[in-house]
PDB file of all heavy atoms in Angstrom:
ATOM      1  N   ALA A   1      -4.850   8.643  -0.145  1.00 80.00           N
ATOM      2  CA  ALA A   1      -5.918   8.709  -1.118  1.00 80.00           C
ATOM      3  C   ALA A   1      -7.307   8.412  -0.574  1.00 80.00           C
ATOM      4  O   ALA A   1      -8.282   8.753  -1.190  1.00 80.00           O
ATOM      5  CB  ALA A   1      -5.565   7.769  -2.312  1.00 80.00           C
ATOM      6  N   CYS A   2      -7.350   7.825   0.610  1.00 84.00           N
ATOM      7  CA  CYS A   2      -8.642   7.658   1.238  1.00 84.00           C
ATOM      8  C   CYS A   2      -9.277   8.923   1.898  1.00 84.00           C
ATOM      9  O   CYS A   2     -10.408   8.902   2.341  1.00 84.00           O
ATOM     10  CB  CYS A   2      -8.460   6.677   2.381  1.00 84.00           C
ATOM     11  SG  CYS A   2      -8.247   4.952   1.829  1.00 84.00           S
ATOM     12  N   MET A   3      -8.520  10.047   1.791  1.00 84.00           N
ATOM     13  CA  MET A   3      -9.034  11.326   2.300  1.00 84.00           C
ATOM     14  C   MET A   3      -9.443  12.252   1.231  1.00 84.00           C
ATOM     15  O   MET A   3      -9.946  13.352   1.538  1.00 84.00           O
ATOM     16  CB  MET A   3      -8.007  11.928   3.208  1.00 84.00           C
ATOM     17  CG  MET A   3      -7.412  11.011   4.281  1.00 84.00           C
ATOM     18  SD  MET A   3      -8.731  10.410   5.382  1.00 84.00           S
ATOM     19  CE  MET A   3      -9.348  11.884   6.138  1.00 84.00           C
ATOM     20  N   ILE A   4      -9.208  11.898  -0.053  1.00 86.00           N
ATOM     21  CA  ILE A   4      -9.513  12.864  -1.096  1.00 86.00           C
ATOM     22  C   ILE A   4     -10.976  12.743  -1.476  1.00 86.00           C
ATOM     23  O   ILE A   4     -11.693  11.820  -1.015  1.00 86.00           O
ATOM     24  CB  ILE A   4      -8.597  12.614  -2.371  1.00 86.00           C
ATOM     25  CG1 ILE A   4      -8.801  11.196  -2.853  1.00 86.00           C
ATOM     26  CG2 ILE A   4      -7.168  12.832  -2.018  1.00 86.00           C
ATOM     27  CD1 ILE A   4      -7.905  10.878  -4.129  1.00 86.00           C
ATOM     28  N   ASN A   5     -11.467  13.680  -2.326  1.00 86.00           N
ATOM     29  CA  ASN A   5     -12.882  13.690  -2.650  1.00 86.00           C
ATOM     30  C   ASN A   5     -13.224  12.597  -3.644  1.00 86.00           C
ATOM     31  O   ASN A   5     -14.375  11.951  -3.472  1.00 86.00           O
ATOM     32  CB  ASN A   5     -13.258  15.029  -3.320  1.00 86.00           C
ATOM     33  CG  ASN A   5     -13.254  16.154  -2.368  1.00 86.00           C
ATOM     34  OD1 ASN A   5     -13.322  15.909  -1.131  1.00 86.00           O
ATOM     35  ND2 ASN A   5     -13.083  17.385  -2.829  1.00 86.00           N
ATOM     36  N   LYS A   6     -12.451  12.219  -4.605  1.00 92.00           N
ATOM     37  CA  LYS A   6     -12.739  11.186  -5.502  1.00 92.00           C
ATOM     38  C   LYS A   6     -11.783  10.050  -5.224  1.00 92.00           C
ATOM     39  O   LYS A   6     -10.659   9.944  -5.658  1.00 92.00           O
ATOM     40  CB  LYS A   6     -12.593  11.587  -6.976  1.00 92.00           C
ATOM     41  CG  LYS A   6     -13.141  10.626  -8.017  1.00 92.00           C
ATOM     42  CD  LYS A   6     -12.882  11.181  -9.429  1.00 92.00           C
ATOM     43  CE  LYS A   6     -13.352  10.244 -10.478  1.00 92.00           C
ATOM     44  NZ  LYS A   6     -13.075  10.773 -11.844  1.00 92.00           N
ATOM     45  N   ARG A   7     -12.270   9.018  -4.491  1.00 94.00           N
ATOM     46  CA  ARG A   7     -11.401   7.986  -4.026  1.00 94.00           C
ATOM     47  C   ARG A   7     -11.258   6.747  -4.998  1.00 94.00           C
ATOM     48  O   ARG A   7     -12.155   6.574  -5.795  1.00 94.00           O
ATOM     49  CB  ARG A   7     -11.949   7.516  -2.589  1.00 94.00           C
ATOM     50  CG  ARG A   7     -12.007   8.701  -1.713  1.00 94.00           C
ATOM     51  CD  ARG A   7     -12.662   8.347  -0.275  1.00 94.00           C
ATOM     52  NE  ARG A   7     -12.836   9.542   0.514  1.00 94.00           N
ATOM     53  CZ  ARG A   7     -13.472   9.596   1.667  1.00 94.00           C
ATOM     54  NH1 ARG A   7     -13.898   8.468   2.214  1.00 94.00           N
ATOM     55  NH2 ARG A   7     -13.585  10.715   2.308  1.00 94.00           N
ATOM     56  N   ASN A   8     -10.211   5.964  -4.683  1.00 95.00           N
ATOM     57  CA  ASN A   8      -9.986   4.835  -5.467  1.00 95.00           C
ATOM     58  C   ASN A   8     -10.707   3.608  -4.905  1.00 95.00           C
ATOM     59  O   ASN A   8     -10.945   3.594  -3.726  1.00 95.00           O
ATOM     60  CB  ASN A   8      -8.473   4.530  -5.546  1.00 95.00           C
ATOM     61  CG  ASN A   8      -7.658   5.706  -5.966  1.00 95.00           C
ATOM     62  OD1 ASN A   8      -8.068   6.518  -6.803  1.00 95.00           O
ATOM     63  ND2 ASN A   8      -6.504   5.919  -5.404  1.00 95.00           N
ATOM     64  N   PHE A   9     -10.969   2.668  -5.806  1.00 96.00           N
ATOM     65  CA  PHE A   9     -11.713   1.483  -5.384  1.00 96.00           C
ATOM     66  C   PHE A   9     -10.888   0.160  -5.603  1.00 96.00           C
ATOM     67  O   PHE A   9     -10.047   0.163  -6.522  1.00 96.00           O
ATOM     68  CB  PHE A   9     -12.967   1.295  -6.233  1.00 96.00           C
ATOM     69  CG  PHE A   9     -14.097   2.285  -5.888  1.00 96.00           C
ATOM     70  CD1 PHE A   9     -14.085   3.575  -6.520  1.00 96.00           C
ATOM     71  CD2 PHE A   9     -15.134   2.050  -5.043  1.00 96.00           C
ATOM     72  CE1 PHE A   9     -15.056   4.468  -6.243  1.00 96.00           C
ATOM     73  CE2 PHE A   9     -16.152   2.941  -4.855  1.00 96.00           C
ATOM     74  CZ  PHE A   9     -16.066   4.141  -5.434  1.00 96.00           C
ATOM     75  N   LYS A  10     -11.093  -0.778  -4.770  1.00 96.00           N
ATOM     76  CA  LYS A  10     -10.554  -2.133  -4.903  1.00 96.00           C
ATOM     77  C   LYS A  10     -11.713  -3.101  -4.883  1.00 96.00           C
ATOM     78  O   LYS A  10     -12.542  -3.144  -3.917  1.00 96.00           O
ATOM     79  CB  LYS A  10      -9.544  -2.490  -3.936  1.00 96.00           C
ATOM     80  CG  LYS A  10      -8.978  -3.985  -4.113  1.00 96.00           C
ATOM     81  CD  LYS A  10      -7.895  -4.270  -3.228  1.00 96.00           C
ATOM     82  CE  LYS A  10      -6.564  -3.598  -3.560  1.00 96.00           C
ATOM     83  NZ  LYS A  10      -6.001  -4.115  -4.801  1.00 96.00           N
ATOM     84  N   LEU A  11     -11.830  -3.964  -5.917  1.00 97.00           N
ATOM     85  CA  LEU A  11     -12.903  -4.978  -5.994  1.00 97.00           C
ATOM     86  C   LEU A  11     -12.185  -6.309  -5.945  1.00 97.00           C
ATOM     87  O   LEU A  11     -11.241  -6.605  -6.615  1.00 97.00           O
ATOM     88  CB  LEU A  11     -13.671  -4.884  -7.281  1.00 97.00           C
ATOM     89  CG  LEU A  11     -14.600  -3.739  -7.488  1.00 97.00           C
ATOM     90  CD1 LEU A  11     -13.893  -2.370  -7.679  1.00 97.00           C
ATOM     91  CD2 LEU A  11     -15.461  -3.946  -8.740  1.00 97.00           C
ATOM     92  N   ARG A  12     -12.663  -7.186  -5.069  1.00 96.00           N
ATOM     93  CA  ARG A  12     -12.152  -8.598  -4.943  1.00 96.00           C
ATOM     94  C   ARG A  12     -13.276  -9.598  -5.303  1.00 96.00           C
ATOM     95  O   ARG A  12     -14.357  -9.560  -4.673  1.00 96.00           O
ATOM     96  CB  ARG A  12     -11.605  -8.803  -3.610  1.00 96.00           C
ATOM     97  CG  ARG A  12     -10.891 -10.175  -3.425  1.00 96.00           C
ATOM     98  CD  ARG A  12     -10.226 -10.331  -2.047  1.00 96.00           C
ATOM     99  NE  ARG A  12     -11.252 -10.604  -1.049  1.00 96.00           N
ATOM    100  CZ  ARG A  12     -10.933 -10.714   0.172  1.00 96.00           C
ATOM    101  NH1 ARG A  12      -9.661 -10.506   0.638  1.00 96.00           N
ATOM    102  NH2 ARG A  12     -11.852 -10.904   1.121  1.00 96.00           N
ATOM    103  N   PHE A  13     -13.023 -10.412  -6.249  1.00 95.00           N
ATOM    104  CA  PHE A  13     -13.941 -11.389  -6.751  1.00 95.00           C
ATOM    105  C   PHE A  13     -13.891 -12.671  -5.975  1.00 95.00           C
ATOM    106  O   PHE A  13     -12.854 -13.012  -5.375  1.00 95.00           O
ATOM    107  CB  PHE A  13     -13.843 -11.607  -8.272  1.00 95.00           C
ATOM    108  CG  PHE A  13     -14.197 -10.362  -9.013  1.00 95.00           C
ATOM    109  CD1 PHE A  13     -13.317  -9.341  -9.253  1.00 95.00           C
ATOM    110  CD2 PHE A  13     -15.465 -10.251  -9.642  1.00 95.00           C
ATOM    111  CE1 PHE A  13     -13.630  -8.237 -10.045  1.00 95.00           C
ATOM    112  CE2 PHE A  13     -15.806  -9.129 -10.390  1.00 95.00           C
ATOM    113  CZ  PHE A  13     -14.897  -8.149 -10.541  1.00 95.00           C
ATOM    114  N   ASN A  14     -15.010 -13.441  -6.027  1.00 92.00           N
ATOM    115  CA  ASN A  14     -14.983 -14.672  -5.226  1.00 92.00           C
ATOM    116  C   ASN A  14     -14.251 -15.779  -5.913  1.00 92.00           C
ATOM    117  O   ASN A  14     -13.998 -15.811  -7.114  1.00 92.00           O
ATOM    118  CB  ASN A  14     -16.503 -15.089  -5.113  1.00 92.00           C
ATOM    119  CG  ASN A  14     -17.319 -14.111  -4.236  1.00 92.00           C
ATOM    120  OD1 ASN A  14     -16.945 -13.948  -3.007  1.00 92.00           O
ATOM    121  ND2 ASN A  14     -18.360 -13.573  -4.788  1.00 92.00           N
ATOM    122  N   ARG A  15     -13.746 -16.698  -5.039  1.00 87.00           N
ATOM    123  CA  ARG A  15     -13.078 -17.870  -5.521  1.00 87.00           C
ATOM    124  C   ARG A  15     -14.016 -18.706  -6.413  1.00 87.00           C
ATOM    125  O   ARG A  15     -15.092 -18.981  -6.027  1.00 87.00           O
ATOM    126  CB  ARG A  15     -12.539 -18.696  -4.333  1.00 87.00           C
ATOM    127  CG  ARG A  15     -11.676 -19.915  -4.753  1.00 87.00           C
ATOM    128  CD  ARG A  15     -10.992 -20.427  -3.506  1.00 87.00           C
ATOM    129  NE  ARG A  15     -11.826 -20.912  -2.459  1.00 87.00           N
ATOM    130  CZ  ARG A  15     -12.299 -22.191  -2.348  1.00 87.00           C
ATOM    131  NH1 ARG A  15     -11.801 -23.100  -3.244  1.00 87.00           N
ATOM    132  NH2 ARG A  15     -13.038 -22.531  -1.419  1.00 87.00           N
ATOM    133  N   GLY A  16     -13.498 -19.058  -7.541  1.00 84.00           N
ATOM    134  CA  GLY A  16     -14.274 -19.868  -8.480  1.00 84.00           C
ATOM    135  C   GLY A  16     -15.120 -18.982  -9.439  1.00 84.00           C
ATOM    136  O   GLY A  16     -15.705 -19.513 -10.412  1.00 84.00           O
ATOM    137  N   ARG A  17     -15.121 -17.628  -9.256  1.00 88.00           N
ATOM    138  CA  ARG A  17     -15.758 -16.814 -10.198  1.00 88.00           C
ATOM    139  C   ARG A  17     -15.065 -15.531 -10.441  1.00 88.00           C
ATOM    140  O   ARG A  17     -15.459 -14.388 -10.067  1.00 88.00           O
ATOM    141  CB  ARG A  17     -17.233 -16.474  -9.654  1.00 88.00           C
ATOM    142  CG  ARG A  17     -18.172 -15.643 -10.615  1.00 88.00           C
ATOM    143  CD  ARG A  17     -18.673 -16.559 -11.650  1.00 88.00           C
ATOM    144  NE  ARG A  17     -19.362 -15.715 -12.740  1.00 88.00           N
ATOM    145  CZ  ARG A  17     -20.529 -15.092 -12.580  1.00 88.00           C
ATOM    146  NH1 ARG A  17     -21.217 -15.215 -11.515  1.00 88.00           N
ATOM    147  NH2 ARG A  17     -20.924 -14.382 -13.654  1.00 88.00           N
ATOM    148  N   PRO A  18     -13.908 -15.542 -11.099  1.00 90.00           N
ATOM    149  CA  PRO A  18     -13.131 -14.337 -11.348  1.00 90.00           C
ATOM    150  C   PRO A  18     -13.795 -13.633 -12.459  1.00 90.00           C
ATOM    151  O   PRO A  18     -14.673 -14.074 -13.151  1.00 90.00           O
ATOM    152  CB  PRO A  18     -11.771 -14.967 -11.838  1.00 90.00           C
ATOM    153  CG  PRO A  18     -12.106 -16.253 -12.414  1.00 90.00           C
ATOM    154  CD  PRO A  18     -13.202 -16.836 -11.582  1.00 90.00           C
ATOM    155  N   PHE A  19     -13.405 -12.397 -12.676  1.00 91.00           N
ATOM    156  CA  PHE A  19     -13.880 -11.523 -13.763  1.00 91.00           C
ATOM    157  C   PHE A  19     -13.228 -11.818 -15.046  1.00 91.00           C
ATOM    158  O   PHE A  19     -12.042 -11.715 -15.154  1.00 91.00           O
ATOM    159  CB  PHE A  19     -13.705 -10.064 -13.387  1.00 91.00           C
ATOM    160  CG  PHE A  19     -14.212  -9.110 -14.431  1.00 91.00           C
ATOM    161  CD1 PHE A  19     -15.528  -9.202 -14.863  1.00 91.00           C
ATOM    162  CD2 PHE A  19     -13.299  -8.122 -14.898  1.00 91.00           C
ATOM    163  CE1 PHE A  19     -15.896  -8.263 -15.872  1.00 91.00           C
ATOM    164  CE2 PHE A  19     -13.796  -7.262 -15.849  1.00 91.00           C
ATOM    165  CZ  PHE A  19     -15.014  -7.346 -16.404  1.00 91.00           C
ATOM    166  N   ASP A  20     -14.075 -12.192 -16.002  1.00 87.00           N
ATOM    167  CA  ASP A  20     -13.554 -12.566 -17.349  1.00 87.00           C
ATOM    168  C   ASP A  20     -14.151 -11.753 -18.492  1.00 87.00           C
ATOM    169  O   ASP A  20     -14.182 -12.077 -19.676  1.00 87.00           O
ATOM    170  CB  ASP A  20     -13.610 -14.064 -17.640  1.00 87.00           C
ATOM    171  CG  ASP A  20     -15.003 -14.542 -17.484  1.00 87.00           C
ATOM    172  OD1 ASP A  20     -15.905 -13.731 -17.352  1.00 87.00           O
ATOM    173  OD2 ASP A  20     -15.213 -15.774 -17.594  1.00 87.00           O
ATOM    174  N   GLY A  21     -14.833 -10.635 -18.096  1.00 80.00           N
ATOM    175  CA  GLY A  21     -15.635  -9.852 -19.129  1.00 80.00           C
ATOM    176  C   GLY A  21     -14.850  -9.112 -20.116  1.00 80.00           C
ATOM    177  O   GLY A  21     -15.370  -8.592 -21.147  1.00 80.00           O
ATOM    178  N   LEU A  22     -13.552  -8.977 -19.933  1.00 77.00           N
ATOM    179  CA  LEU A  22     -12.738  -8.231 -20.878  1.00 77.00           C
ATOM    180  C   LEU A  22     -11.930  -9.191 -21.860  1.00 77.00           C
ATOM    181  O   LEU A  22     -11.022  -8.643 -22.534  1.00 77.00           O
ATOM    182  CB  LEU A  22     -11.663  -7.371 -20.138  1.00 77.00           C
ATOM    183  CG  LEU A  22     -12.306  -6.284 -19.162  1.00 77.00           C
ATOM    184  CD1 LEU A  22     -11.221  -5.619 -18.319  1.00 77.00           C
ATOM    185  CD2 LEU A  22     -13.115  -5.305 -20.031  1.00 77.00           C
ATOM    186  N   GLY A  23     -12.242 -10.382 -21.790  1.00 72.00           N
ATOM    187  CA  GLY A  23     -11.536 -11.327 -22.692  1.00 72.00           C
ATOM    188  C   GLY A  23     -10.228 -11.774 -22.054  1.00 72.00           C
ATOM    189  O   GLY A  23      -9.440 -12.495 -22.701  1.00 72.00           O
ATOM    190  N   ASP A  24      -9.969 -11.262 -20.880  1.00 67.00           N
ATOM    191  CA  ASP A  24      -8.701 -11.630 -20.137  1.00 67.00           C
ATOM    192  C   ASP A  24      -9.111 -12.377 -18.900  1.00 67.00           C
ATOM    193  O   ASP A  24      -9.487 -11.797 -17.861  1.00 67.00           O
ATOM    194  CB  ASP A  24      -7.963 -10.357 -19.824  1.00 67.00           C
ATOM    195  CG  ASP A  24      -6.483 -10.616 -19.345  1.00 67.00           C
ATOM    196  OD1 ASP A  24      -6.136 -11.755 -19.349  1.00 67.00           O
ATOM    197  OD2 ASP A  24      -5.737  -9.624 -19.183  1.00 67.00           O
ATOM    198  N   PHE A  25      -9.064 -13.728 -19.057  1.00 67.00           N
ATOM    199  CA  PHE A  25      -9.703 -14.540 -17.991  1.00 67.00           C
ATOM    200  C   PHE A  25      -8.910 -14.537 -16.712  1.00 67.00           C
ATOM    201  O   PHE A  25      -7.689 -14.448 -16.656  1.00 67.00           O
ATOM    202  CB  PHE A  25      -9.819 -16.017 -18.510  1.00 67.00           C
ATOM    203  CG  PHE A  25     -10.659 -16.126 -19.755  1.00 67.00           C
ATOM    204  CD1 PHE A  25     -10.179 -16.055 -21.014  1.00 67.00           C
ATOM    205  CD2 PHE A  25     -12.046 -16.221 -19.607  1.00 67.00           C
ATOM    206  CE1 PHE A  25     -10.962 -16.150 -22.110  1.00 67.00           C
ATOM    207  CE2 PHE A  25     -12.898 -16.315 -20.718  1.00 67.00           C
ATOM    208  CZ  PHE A  25     -12.362 -16.243 -21.998  1.00 67.00           C
ATOM    209  N   GLY A  26      -9.657 -14.643 -15.587  1.00 80.00           N
ATOM    210  CA  GLY A  26      -9.175 -14.915 -14.316  1.00 80.00           C
ATOM    211  C   GLY A  26      -8.727 -13.757 -13.514  1.00 80.00           C
ATOM    212  O   GLY A  26      -7.785 -13.871 -12.617  1.00 80.00           O
ATOM    213  N   LEU A  27      -9.353 -12.539 -13.643  1.00 89.00           N
ATOM    214  CA  LEU A  27      -9.005 -11.424 -12.800  1.00 89.00           C
ATOM    215  C   LEU A  27      -9.697 -11.583 -11.459  1.00 89.00           C
ATOM    216  O   LEU A  27     -10.913 -11.640 -11.315  1.00 89.00           O
ATOM    217  CB  LEU A  27      -9.566 -10.113 -13.454  1.00 89.00           C
ATOM    218  CG  LEU A  27      -8.837  -9.779 -14.776  1.00 89.00           C
ATOM    219  CD1 LEU A  27      -9.430  -8.385 -15.218  1.00 89.00           C
ATOM    220  CD2 LEU A  27      -7.295  -9.616 -14.600  1.00 89.00           C
ATOM    221  N   LYS A  28      -8.851 -11.677 -10.409  1.00 92.00           N
ATOM    222  CA  LYS A  28      -9.372 -11.891  -9.068  1.00 92.00           C
ATOM    223  C   LYS A  28      -9.633 -10.566  -8.416  1.00 92.00           C
ATOM    224  O   LYS A  28     -10.394 -10.454  -7.442  1.00 92.00           O
ATOM    225  CB  LYS A  28      -8.404 -12.720  -8.310  1.00 92.00           C
ATOM    226  CG  LYS A  28      -8.242 -14.199  -8.851  1.00 92.00           C
ATOM    227  CD  LYS A  28      -7.224 -14.964  -7.988  1.00 92.00           C
ATOM    228  CE  LYS A  28      -6.990 -16.320  -8.668  1.00 92.00           C
ATOM    229  NZ  LYS A  28      -5.962 -17.117  -7.823  1.00 92.00           N
ATOM    230  N   LYS A  29      -8.849  -9.565  -8.775  1.00 94.00           N
ATOM    231  CA  LYS A  29      -8.981  -8.277  -8.143  1.00 94.00           C
ATOM    232  C   LYS A  29      -8.916  -7.115  -9.260  1.00 94.00           C
ATOM    233  O   LYS A  29      -8.249  -7.322 -10.230  1.00 94.00           O
ATOM    234  CB  LYS A  29      -7.801  -7.972  -7.205  1.00 94.00           C
ATOM    235  CG  LYS A  29      -7.893  -8.928  -5.977  1.00 94.00           C
ATOM    236  CD  LYS A  29      -6.705  -8.585  -5.025  1.00 94.00           C
ATOM    237  CE  LYS A  29      -6.726  -9.594  -3.816  1.00 94.00           C
ATOM    238  NZ  LYS A  29      -5.626  -9.265  -2.852  1.00 94.00           N
ATOM    239  N   ILE A  30      -9.615  -6.078  -8.962  1.00 94.00           N
ATOM    240  CA  ILE A  30      -9.639  -4.894  -9.929  1.00 94.00           C
ATOM    241  C   ILE A  30      -9.368  -3.684  -9.131  1.00 94.00           C
ATOM    242  O   ILE A  30      -9.947  -3.440  -8.046  1.00 94.00           O
ATOM    243  CB  ILE A  30     -11.019  -4.785 -10.612  1.00 94.00           C
ATOM    244  CG1 ILE A  30     -11.228  -5.838 -11.635  1.00 94.00           C
ATOM    245  CG2 ILE A  30     -11.182  -3.420 -11.257  1.00 94.00           C
ATOM    246  CD1 ILE A  30     -12.505  -5.755 -12.364  1.00 94.00           C
ATOM    247  N   ASN A  31      -8.472  -2.868  -9.639  1.00 96.00           N
ATOM    248  CA  ASN A  31      -8.162  -1.568  -9.024  1.00 96.00           C
ATOM    249  C   ASN A  31      -8.745  -0.445  -9.915  1.00 96.00           C
ATOM    250  O   ASN A  31      -8.397  -0.429 -11.121  1.00 96.00           O
ATOM    251  CB  ASN A  31      -6.621  -1.415  -8.869  1.00 96.00           C
ATOM    252  CG  ASN A  31      -6.026  -2.464  -7.994  1.00 96.00           C
ATOM    253  OD1 ASN A  31      -6.469  -2.756  -6.969  1.00 96.00           O
ATOM    254  ND2 ASN A  31      -4.924  -3.015  -8.412  1.00 96.00           N
ATOM    255  N   LEU A  32      -9.448   0.464  -9.300  1.00 97.00           N
ATOM    256  CA  LEU A  32      -9.969   1.572 -10.091  1.00 97.00           C
ATOM    257  C   LEU A  32      -9.503   2.845  -9.447  1.00 97.00           C
ATOM    258  O   LEU A  32      -9.843   3.126  -8.281  1.00 97.00           O
ATOM    259  CB  LEU A  32     -11.472   1.561 -10.056  1.00 97.00           C
ATOM    260  CG  LEU A  32     -12.142   0.290 -10.573  1.00 97.00           C
ATOM    261  CD1 LEU A  32     -13.672   0.306 -10.468  1.00 97.00           C
ATOM    262  CD2 LEU A  32     -11.771   0.051 -12.065  1.00 97.00           C
TER     263      LEU A  32
END
């Protein structure tokens, strides 16, 4: 998938500051 035109993303958040914007607390990683 790293060779296709529209590639996938991985986001890794910092320790102590996970992503909680969706009302689901504590996301350390996001796959898109």
Side-chain angles (χ1 to χ4, degrees):
C2 284
M3 306 303 295
I4 60 179
N5 289 340
K6 188 181 179 185
R7 302 174 187 177
N8 307 325
F9 290 82
K10 178 177 285 292
L11 289 70
R12 188 175 72 182
F13 292 83
N14 292 301
R15 184 165 62 95
R17 186 78 191 283
F19 176 53
D20 57 9
L22 299 173
D24 195 353
F25 296 94
L27 295 182
K28 299 177 181 178
K29 296 180 181 179
I30 288 180
N31 301 316
L32 303 178

